[in-house]
Amino acid sequence: MNSKAISGGTVHKLPDDLHRALLSSPEALTAWQDITPLARNEWICWTVTVKKVETRKDHIRRTVAELKQGKRRPCCWIGCIHRVDKKMSPSVRWALSK
């Protein structure tokens, strides 16, 4: 599969570091292409919204590993707060206020 065929999310574009990681794992790349654009968006947002470089690297590593395990979305995460097509849920508003 060539690099131009890798899909991004609905709000977020696929960042270069995650792009390279997916290219390095055919199994993760196949899983990535099989999930919905909203699910891809969740993985991208989960990766890019962290503060530390080390955490971002860990999220990229985990994205590849968890896609290979069959996971379709990041676990235990509030979801992409950048979407404008839906209202933020009360539970997400509460979590962000803490």
Side-chain angles (χ1 to χ4, degrees):
M1 179 175 287
N2 77 38
S3 61
K4 292 181 183 171
I6 299 178
S7 303
T10 56
V11 176
H12 297 286
K13 292 183 179 179
L14 185 63
D16 291 339
D17 48 359
L18 183 53
H19 181 267
R20 286 189 301 275
L22 291 168
L23 283 177
S24 73
S25 173
E27 188 178 356
L29 180 56
T30 297
W32 179 265
Q33 294 296 90
D34 186 53
I35 60 177
T36 67
L38 283 175
R40 288 191 298 268
N41 193 74
E42 297 293 310
W43 285 111
I44 295 168
C45 190
W46 182 69
T47 299
V48 301
T49 57
V50 298
K51 294 178 183 176
K52 294 182 179 180
V53 172
E54 302 84 35
T55 306
R56 182 174 173 134
K57 288 179 182 177
D58 182 56
H59 280 210
I60 290 171
R61 180 195 58 75
R62 285 181 54 197
T63 297
V64 170
E66 291 179 13
L67 284 167
K68 288 167 64 173
Q69 293 169 6
K71 293 187 180 173
R72 300 183 70 77
R73 292 184 186 253
C75 176
C76 308
W77 183 65
I78 61 171
C80 180
I81 61 171
H82 305 100
R83 288 179 56 193
V84 294
D85 62 323
K86 70 172 190 146
K87 245 181 154 177
M88 193 178 295
S89 73
S91 61
V92 170
R93 275 197 307 278
W94 175 85
L96 291 173
S97 73
K98 300 298 170 197

